[in-house]
Amino acid sequence: MVRVLYAGSPEASAVTLGILLEKSAECGFEIAGVLSNPPSAKGRHKALVPTPVAQLAEEKGIPVFTPEHLDSAAREAVQAVNADILAVFAYGHIFGPKFMSLFKFGGINLHPSALPEYRGCTPVNAAILNGNSKTAFTVQAISQKMDEGDILAQEEVVLNGTENALSLLNDAAVRGGKMISLLLKSVSENNSLPAGRSQQGEASYTGIITKDDAKLDWSKSSREIDCAVRAYYGDPSAWTLEKGLPLKIIEGKPLSDEEGTALGGSNNVAPGTVSVFAKSAGILVKCGSGFYAVTKLQRQGKNAMDYKSFMNGARDFVGTVLSV
């Protein structure tokens, strides 16, 4: 039976780990250990909390390794579980040649993009932000250069324009878990990693998302605003300024100029102006073209609210100009 070291940290990666655990017996592999980020301080009392992946592994009685660095001490600890292959989703560290030499079948990595498109750490966000009509989930062989390994499996994903960063990442976690399971089954049956294909086409890259990246520019079209809201859903969340204070825009829907004016919106106002409260649609904010109907938002220090609840306590909100 193939022994697997699984590396990952966030909630989506824990979903993938859960699927691997479910599929392990029928696919001829076992999770011998888990590699995850160290616990982080959370909450008012700054208690150290393990990552979701580490928590799941601990619940299942699987050895967990949480080194700060993949140094000689980390390699020695990992070597003790005698894993044959490394499987990765959202771990966030580069694996050097000394670390990879621990695994006779090398390593595989789940990357939620149509590689070589959107290499790097935020491919899901980039696909949504750019309004792509499709993307892909890819399992690649781990190489020494970031996301440049051969493609072992790839599934195209059609985007309908309603996905947000969280929902698309969770989709990748579920489908990716099944893809990895089948690859590990092949390794078990053939005693080798399947041959991959080299990446074709021009590469593009993504980077770490900052809070400034998520600030909305209301001079853009309502469709572009919608892409930004969905791309930055969760952390850091799209935001704007209301009278100098941050206001998160969590959910909404783009409307054309015609749709907006039919609901009472005005085209004769500056972009960013809260034009009308349309009870059937949302709080309409004028964009460079079209309107964005905000349906969920959050003021600083307050809970997130649906638009009707928000307007109950913000009756002077209409007419406010949200800054770009």
Side-chain angles (χ1 to χ4, degrees):
M1 182 170 282
V2 173
R3 292 174 61 81
V4 180
L5 179 72
Y6 182 78
S9 294
E11 187 64 44
S13 186
V15 170
T16 300
L17 175 59
I19 292 171
L20 294 180
L21 291 170
E22 291 174 6
K23 300 284 187 180
S24 59
E26 66 181 271
C27 292
F29 66 87
E30 64 177 318
I31 305 298
V34 160
L35 182 66
S36 196
N37 286 329
S40 56
K42 294 184 178 180
R44 181 180 301 175
H45 301 292
K46 301 299 181 183
L48 291 178
V49 178
T51 69
V53 166
Q55 289 182 49
L56 177 58
E58 289 168 357
E59 290 171 6
K60 300 296 184 180
I62 300 169
V64 177
F65 307 98
T66 58
E68 288 280 357
H69 306 285
L70 297 179
D71 53 16
S72 59
R75 293 196 298 273
E76 183 177 349
V78 165
Q79 190 172 25
V81 302
N82 196 31
D84 301 305
I85 190 169
L86 174 68
V88 183
F89 178 38
Y91 177 53
H93 296 268
I94 299 296
F95 300 101
K98 289 182 180 179
F99 189 84
M100 292 308 302
S101 70
L102 300 176
F103 312 99
K104 68 177 180 179
F105 297 128
I108 58 178
N109 173 60
L110 171 61
H111 187 82
S113 87
L115 287 171
E117 181 181 56
Y118 301 145
R119 291 172 177 167
C121 58
T122 53
V124 161
N125 312 78
I128 296 173
L129 184 65
N130 292 329
N132 288 24
S133 60
K134 61 183 180 180
T135 185
F137 302 146
T138 304
V139 181
Q140 61 176 154
I142 292 176
S143 72
Q144 288 306 298
K145 294 184 178 180
M146 183 180 66
D147 296 329
E148 293 189 19
D150 287 351
I151 294 173
L152 304 172
Q154 190 172 73
E155 289 188 11
E156 184 175 278
V157 181
V158 176
L159 303 178
N160 61 24
T162 64
E163 302 86 0
N164 62 43
L166 180 60
S167 68
L168 189 54
L169 190 62
N170 284 338
D171 190 18
V174 172
R175 290 212 246 177
K178 296 174 182 177
M179 293 165 70
I180 292 172
S181 295
L182 291 176
L183 278 169
L184 292 174
K185 181 180 181 181
S186 176
V187 173
S188 177
E189 292 173 346
N190 300 298
N191 199 38
S192 66
L193 192 66
R197 60 178 175 85
S198 60
Q199 298 181 27
Q200 302 295 323
E202 185 176 353
S204 57
Y205 295 86
T206 66
I208 295 172
I209 293 171
T210 68
K211 184 178 178 181
D212 283 346
D213 292 328
K215 188 176 182 180
L216 295 174
D217 179 356
W218 295 104
S219 68
K220 294 184 176 181
S221 70
S222 60
R223 175 58 64 183
E224 290 173 301
I225 293 294
D226 181 59
C227 288
V229 171
R230 292 184 293 110
Y232 300 126
Y233 184 90
D235 186 16
S237 287
W239 63 284
T240 186
L241 290 174
E242 175 202 0
K243 298 177 181 178
L245 296 176
L247 176 69
K248 289 185 178 181
I249 307 298
I250 300 172
E251 292 176 359
K253 181 181 179 180
L255 302 175
S256 66
D257 283 320
E258 293 76 15
E259 290 171 322
T261 53
L263 290 166
S266 172
N267 277 317
N268 299 318
V269 293
T273 301
V274 180
S275 184
V276 68
F277 168 36
K279 290 185 179 180
S280 63
I283 302 166
L284 272 59
V285 181
K286 186 68 182 79
C287 304
S289 63
F291 294 82
Y292 191 66
V294 179
T295 57
K296 190 173 184 179
L297 61 173
Q298 183 178 10
R299 280 175 167 157
Q300 188 175 44
K302 304 291 184 180
N303 293 327
M305 294 183 179
D306 66 83
Y307 68 101
K308 292 180 181 178
S309 299
F310 180 88
M311 290 302 294
N312 283 336
R315 298 190 179 277
D316 62 344
F317 192 52
V318 173
T320 299
V321 179
L322 305 176
S323 64
V324 297

